[in-house]
Amino acid sequence: MELRKNMRNSIFLILLASLVLSATRCKGGVTSTYRRRLGASVDMPLDSDVFRVPTGYNAPQQVHITQGDVNGNAVIVSWVTPDEPGSSVVLYGTSKHNLDKMETGKHTQYKYYNYTSGFIHHCTIRHLKFDTKYYYAVGIGQTVRKFWFKTPPEVGPDVPYTFGIIGDLGQTYDSNTTLSHYESNRKAETVLYVGDLSYADNYPDHDNNRWDSWARFVERSTAYQPWIWTAGNHELDFEPSLGEKEPFKPFKHRYLTPYRASDSTAPFWYSVKRASAHIIVLSSYSAYGKYTPQYRWLEEELPKVNRSETPWLIVLVHSPWYNSYNYHYMEGETMRVMFEPWFVQYKVDVVFAGHVHAYERSHRISDIAYNIVNKNCTPVPNEDAPVYITIGDGGNIEGLAANMTEPQPSYSAYREASFGHAIFEIKNRTHAHYTWHRNQDGEKVAGDEEWFTNRHWLPASN
């Protein structure tokens, strides 16, 4: 009798444990059945139209803009003149026929092994009006080229805004398809770029001419809307065998960031506010251990985020923290261990990463319970945790990452070995619409369309 009673109790406990375990497990993920035709990613020929050098003596080229302050009413304009320094002046105004304002910047130049750059100009235009279209001209006094951009609305909790997300682009035919599909989305206003730009380091002697060709390729977008830059491993260009021992040298000279405005000490980690989003950029390839400058900066930055002003908190990194592909598996683990508890504490909404040349979206999960003693090393559902999105699928020369771990982990919501880009459309303080667009059709992928509900901002009671 006692034996049967003990057996019934044991069975009950086993069933109870099974129910608890199943309740805490993520909904099963989807591995897309779509299979992109595998093949090499091929660089476009250097005489392609997309790399064309603009005509005219010392004509400005590689024009790009990025946010120039924290709040969005300043812009950094950058360009290169190939023959001589020329002018670092930017003329600008709200009428294309009357550029009645002027700002003067500076130029720089660098050498990398056997390469000498053109003259790289940077000019910050401040005190711009919000939600206003500006026209601007560079190359003053020689060959003038004109462009335009629109400033974001003033920062506020219910300000709608649409971001594009691109990573690991390179300069292949696939890269061109990615950029073309992104450009076809007329709502997108700013690119959140998650690292790995030109892939110049993939060429002999880190051929820095490939930095020039890449910047001419993307100028059709970067000259008209800001790209928020994240440094990846292909921006390191650290190559002692060539005598190059300064990390990030080409990137630092070419792509400025407004890091000082957010009290950062280096251009690789910083923050900006844009409309209703607070965007934090981190560097996977700079020191981030305890008490390093990046660690100290993030420790001070997260408490500053005012969710009643910017309800959406977005983080950009290069190396993903959650990744179910066999490429770069767990390379982001040490950074995850350092910073994930903070991301959960401050309820980061979404983390975008690159590095893995494919696409994946996670459920809201965390692994902060794990320590070396308790063996709780499996990610579990956590509504305070971010969604992690890997979007290193721009189309670069290294090709597609198609080898996935099996079975698909429970934390992985959707994954597909294809190239593409994403759109993150903030509607208001409580809702945002996210879509991923594969290159093969350019349309949003029905299997990966997601409504984000902001869990952090509580509406004022009536």
Side-chain angles (χ1 to χ4, degrees):
M1 188 74 177
E2 187 66 26
L3 179 61
R4 285 198 298 271
K5 182 179 178 182
N6 289 339
M7 287 178 66
R8 285 197 301 270
N9 288 341
S10 297
I11 292 169
F12 173 77
L13 290 172
I14 291 169
L15 290 172
L16 180 62
S18 299
L19 286 170
V20 170
L21 183 61
S22 63
T24 59
R25 187 173 293 147
C26 290
K27 181 179 67 176
V30 173
T31 297
S32 171
T33 57
Y34 178 84
R35 289 292 179 269
R36 176 189 181 273
R37 181 179 57 83
L38 292 180
S41 295
V42 179
D43 271 340
M44 294 176 285
L46 287 175
D47 60 357
S48 300
D49 286 348
V50 296
F51 299 133
R52 185 174 54 243
V53 176
T55 58
Y57 176 71
N58 209 33
Q61 58 175 266
Q62 308 175 44
V63 181
H64 55 274
I65 63 173
T66 193
Q67 188 158 320
D69 66 352
V70 169
N71 292 318
N73 60 342
V75 165
I76 301 171
V77 182
S78 304
W79 70 97
V80 174
T81 50
D83 303 309
E84 61 170 287
S87 170
S88 292
V89 167
V90 177
L91 299 180
Y92 66 101
T94 55
S95 168
K96 67 190 317 183
H97 304 296
N98 183 23
L99 305 182
D100 57 347
K101 296 180 176 61
M102 181 184 78
E103 193 65 58
T104 303
K106 297 179 179 180
H107 75 268
T108 185
Q109 196 174 28
Y110 74 93
K111 293 183 178 181
Y112 189 95
Y113 187 50
N114 58 3
Y115 167 90
T116 300
S117 75
F119 301 92
I120 305 167
H121 302 257
H122 302 290
C123 180
T124 303
I125 306 173
R126 297 179 175 85
H127 309 302
L128 298 169
K129 296 177 182 179
F130 289 107
D131 203 17
T132 301
K133 188 173 185 178
Y134 283 91
Y135 300 87
Y136 70 100
V138 294
I140 310 306
Q142 293 176 329
T143 301
V144 177
R145 297 185 68 205
K146 296 181 179 180
F147 306 89
W148 59 265
F149 62 84
K150 187 178 179 183
T151 54
E154 189 170 0
V155 170
D158 282 310
V159 180
Y161 202 77
T162 302
F163 295 99
I165 303 96
I166 301 175
D168 300 66
L169 189 58
Q171 40 197 304
T172 69
Y173 288 103
D174 291 303
S175 313
N176 193 37
T177 302
T178 297
L179 189 55
S180 296
H181 284 162
Y182 169 70
E183 290 173 298
S184 70
N185 190 313
R186 300 301 179 186
K187 290 183 178 180
E189 301 168 88
T190 292
V191 169
L192 305 179
Y193 194 85
V194 294
D196 284 1
L197 285 67
S198 71
Y199 286 80
D201 63 341
N202 267 30
Y203 302 90
D205 300 329
H206 290 228
D207 183 3
N208 273 226
N209 291 291
R210 285 290 183 171
W211 277 103
D212 296 317
S213 59
W214 189 82
R216 290 196 297 270
F217 160 52
V218 297
E219 182 189 85
R220 70 201 208 211
S221 176
T222 59
Y224 297 94
Q225 62 176 237
W227 286 36
I228 308 302
W229 302 109
T230 308
N233 56 300
H234 285 278
E235 280 67 72
L236 273 168
D237 280 303
F238 178 76
E239 191 54 70
S241 67
L242 300 177
E244 294 296 341
K245 300 179 181 180
E246 179 186 345
F248 303 108
K249 184 199 279 188
F251 179 80
K252 280 193 300 186
H253 280 82
R254 293 171 180 271
Y255 294 95
L256 296 193
T257 65
Y259 68 97
R260 290 189 180 92
S262 57
D263 299 320
S264 171
T265 56
F268 317 115
W269 56 89
Y270 62 98
S271 71
V272 295
K273 301 174 189 176
R274 202 160 185 90
S276 49
H278 191 119
I279 301 155
I280 291 177
V281 179
L282 297 177
S283 177
S284 299
Y285 302 95
S286 301
Y288 47 76
K290 201 167 186 179
Y291 307 131
T292 60
Q294 183 170 199
Y295 177 99
R296 288 184 179 277
W297 177 82
L298 184 60
E299 185 178 33
E300 294 177 2
E301 176 68 15
L302 284 168
K304 294 178 184 177
V305 179
N306 182 352
R307 302 305 278 267
S308 64
E309 176 190 59
T310 51
W312 296 94
L313 179 52
I314 300 169
V315 175
L316 311 181
V317 297
H318 184 64
S319 186
W321 295 2
Y322 289 95
N323 164 34
S324 69
Y325 290 80
N326 287 319
Y327 299 87
H328 305 303
Y329 183 64
M330 292 189 75
E331 284 184 17
E333 182 66 6
T334 53
M335 186 180 239
R336 183 199 66 76
V337 170
M338 292 303 302
F339 294 151
E340 188 182 28
W342 289 350
F343 283 19
V344 172
Q345 177 185 349
Y346 292 99
K347 298 183 179 179
V348 171
D349 290 290
V350 58
V351 178
F352 292 107
H355 202 39
V356 177
H357 301 161
Y359 174 73
E360 184 168 24
R361 174 176 56 85
S362 81
H363 295 292
R364 292 193 184 278
I365 41 87
S366 74
D367 200 11
I368 59 174
Y370 169 72
N371 64 50
I372 201 167
V373 175
N374 65 19
K375 301 180 182 179
N376 294 327
C377 56
T378 301
V380 296
N382 187 335
E383 283 302 308
D384 289 336
V387 169
Y388 293 90
I389 295 176
T390 299
I391 191 154
D393 54 357
N396 67 81
I397 194 172
E398 291 182 337
L400 195 66
N403 190 340
M404 306 174 186
T405 61
E406 297 294 350
Q408 182 174 7
S410 61
Y411 64 75
S412 176
Y414 186 94
R415 60 185 185 176
E416 180 174 312
S418 294
F419 292 136
H421 73 280
I423 299 292
F424 190 75
E425 185 179 359
I426 296 173
K427 302 290 188 178
N428 51 38
R429 71 185 70 187
T430 58
H431 289 86
H433 188 222
Y434 169 83
T435 51
W436 177 66
H437 303 241
R438 76 162 70 95
N439 273 4
Q440 271 51 47
D441 44 34
E443 300 298 320
K444 64 187 180 185
V445 175
D448 200 57
E449 184 174 359
E450 180 81 0
W451 277 98
F452 278 71
T453 301
N454 192 304
R455 306 139 297 141
H456 321 298
W457 200 94
L458 297 176
S461 58
N462 294 327

